[in-house]
Amino acid sequence: MKRLLSLIIGLLAVCGLLAYTSQSLEKSSGSTGSKVLNLYNWGDYIDPNLLTKFQKETGYHVNVETFDSNEAMYTKINQGGTHYDLAVPSEYMVSKMKRAHLLQPLDKSRLTGWGNFDQQFLNQPFDRGNRYSMPYFWGTLGIVYNDKMVKASEVQHWDDLWSPKFRDKIMLIDSARDIMGMSLVTLHKSMNTTDPQTLLAAEKRLNTLAPNVKAVVADEIKMYMIQDEAPLAVDWSGEAAEMLAGNSHLHYVVPREGSNLWFDNLVIPKTAQHYNAIYAFLNFMSEPKNAAQNAEYIGYATPNKKAKALLPKSVRDDQEFYPDQKTIDHLQVYRDLAPNIVELYNDRYLEFKMHH
């Protein structure tokens, strides 16, 4: 009997420990409690000092979970069972999440910093009226070049990359939409075209670039360029900023004839729970001083015009990352295309990669 009693007591103790552990894990993930904010973000995509400051000012603790692609973020939220209060999708993914009814609209009456944003970065095609999204960072697609091997005058336009002098010297970011888009611009076509024949022409144009392509790579493109492994690369401005920080001989240019304008945005998933924390955080990040601090830490371009004014002159006047208005006017935001059209882009791009 004593042995049975001891066994029962032991089982109860184990159950209690498991319950406590489960509760602790749940709290550590930020899914419970009223003084928390659950942020689902790209890795290292916010100044940690700002999170500390936010907690001190408001009392809300920010639990951060990270993802490495828009698709991974979408899948996790779409599967359910999460309680993220804010997520940070790119522009095309905002459209997709809206269609899937995964987002809640913003309550503009609770946003105190909306007037700080540059109007040209609001009301974009992926979210007219910014009903669901608040811009976080923006950037472009462009050319990175090493001044030890290439003169600035030699790479001001996309067409320059086709020069025979750059045989086996160019690294391309492995992105169907972007590399196809670059080719479409050289053909004076929209980066959002849905015409199969135009996409075929873009693939054929890329095939003529193949002799100049040293490699088609992903994240490692940054390391290769920093280590002088290639004189040229096509990549996003955000990654270019990291390259330039690691090698003083690297520079970034956005071709004036046109390129992509991308946005990362703050949105509220449908399963969000902590609304006071959400709006406190959105207002906190919209404050010019905080947005400027975040932009300096990340190295990306801020859509907050009052924050930009607080940045060092060398940063806000840097046309590599804050291009002039004439260049911005020629930039194109990717539209969320129908699945069959996306498949066409991918197919044409894969044909090019096989050709290369």
Side-chain angles (χ1 to χ4, degrees):
M1 186 70 176
K2 285 183 179 179
R3 186 174 296 175
L4 179 60
L5 183 60
S6 297
L7 181 60
I8 293 172
I9 292 172
L11 286 172
L12 288 172
V14 170
C15 289
L17 179 61
L18 288 173
Y20 174 79
T21 302
S22 175
Q23 185 180 38
S24 297
L25 287 171
E26 187 177 19
K27 286 183 177 178
S28 70
S29 70
S31 60
T32 62
S34 60
K35 296 297 289 185
V36 299
L37 175 80
N38 301 319
L39 175 63
Y40 198 25
N41 197 3
W42 299 85
D44 196 26
Y45 206 30
I46 189 169
D47 184 346
N49 291 326
L50 283 173
L51 298 180
T52 302
K53 180 182 178 183
F54 175 72
Q55 182 169 352
K56 287 181 178 178
E57 288 187 4
T58 66
Y60 295 112
H61 174 73
V62 182
N63 298 307
V64 180
E65 189 172 330
T66 62
F67 55 86
D68 59 9
S69 73
N70 277 288
E71 287 67 31
M73 178 271 302
Y74 176 88
T75 298
K76 189 161 188 180
I77 291 178
N78 190 42
Q79 285 176 342
T82 61
H83 296 283
Y84 301 122
D85 297 308
L86 289 168
V88 191
S90 299
E91 72 292 321
Y92 74 93
M93 189 54 68
V94 174
S95 297
K96 185 173 181 177
M97 294 177 80
K98 281 196 306 179
R99 284 204 319 273
H101 306 290
L102 296 179
L103 301 179
Q104 299 185 38
L106 297 173
D107 182 352
K108 299 284 184 59
S109 69
R110 300 183 69 174
L111 295 173
T112 59
W114 201 256
N116 297 335
F117 292 103
D118 190 326
Q119 290 296 308
Q120 69 179 328
F121 299 132
L122 299 176
N123 195 35
Q124 292 293 324
F126 63 89
D127 185 21
R128 289 298 186 192
N130 288 89
R131 189 180 177 204
Y132 295 92
S133 65
M134 188 176 89
Y136 185 56
F137 282 114
W138 67 275
T140 55
L141 178 73
I143 302 167
V144 179
Y145 67 93
N146 190 315
D147 64 20
K148 292 191 294 186
M149 299 175 251
V150 178
K151 296 177 182 178
S153 60
E154 295 179 304
V155 284
Q156 293 300 304
H157 304 281
W158 292 121
D159 280 333
D160 294 336
L161 298 179
W162 272 257
S163 170
K165 72 177 75 171
F166 297 136
R167 185 179 182 87
D168 197 36
K169 292 184 177 180
I170 302 171
M171 289 196 171
L172 301 179
I173 190 67
D174 191 4
S175 169
R177 194 74 185 269
D178 291 297
I179 302 308
M180 287 290 290
M182 170 189 72
S183 182
L184 287 166
V185 171
T186 68
L187 297 173
H188 308 289
K189 301 295 184 180
S190 168
M191 298 178 87
N192 292 297
T193 186
T194 59
D195 178 55
Q197 291 305 311
T198 301
L199 291 174
L200 178 60
E203 180 213 322
K204 291 180 177 178
R205 173 72 167 146
L206 282 177
N207 289 341
T208 64
L209 180 67
N212 290 3
V213 178
K214 184 179 181 72
V216 180
V217 289
D219 282 348
E220 60 269 28
I221 194 171
K222 292 179 286 188
M223 177 189 69
Y224 289 141
M225 292 303 292
I226 290 172
Q227 295 178 353
D228 293 342
E229 294 290 332
L232 290 163
V234 174
D235 204 351
W236 308 294
S237 57
E239 298 212 330
E242 295 181 49
M243 296 181 204
L244 271 58
N247 187 331
S248 62
H249 290 284
L250 297 179
H251 307 272
Y252 179 73
V253 61
V254 183
R256 296 177 71 94
E257 62 270 20
S259 188
N260 170 238
L261 172 64
W262 57 260
F263 292 90
D264 286 334
N265 312 269
L266 287 158
V267 299
I268 306 174
K270 67 175 183 180
T271 53
Q273 296 178 330
H274 307 110
Y275 296 99
N276 289 336
I278 288 170
Y279 287 98
F281 187 79
L282 292 176
N283 291 332
F284 175 85
M285 294 305 297
S286 298
E287 292 177 19
K289 185 176 179 180
N290 296 333
Q293 179 179 327
N294 203 32
E296 283 202 79
Y297 175 83
I298 301 299
Y300 286 19
T302 177
N304 189 314
K305 63 181 179 183
K306 293 186 178 179
K308 181 185 175 185
L310 298 178
L311 294 173
K313 190 175 189 301
S314 60
V315 175
R316 65 176 185 267
D317 291 345
D318 185 352
Q319 292 198 5
E320 291 180 322
F321 299 101
Y322 289 96
D324 60 33
Q325 193 59 50
K326 186 174 181 180
T327 301
I328 291 177
D329 288 344
H330 286 90
L331 299 178
Q332 302 177 48
V333 177
Y334 290 142
R335 296 180 184 272
D336 182 34
L337 302 175
N340 64 309
I341 300 299
V342 172
E343 187 176 355
L344 273 179
Y345 273 82
N346 291 336
D347 288 347
R348 299 274 69 88
Y349 175 65
L350 288 173
E351 287 291 331
F352 154 67
K353 287 176 68 177
M354 290 173 61
H355 184 92
H356 168 257

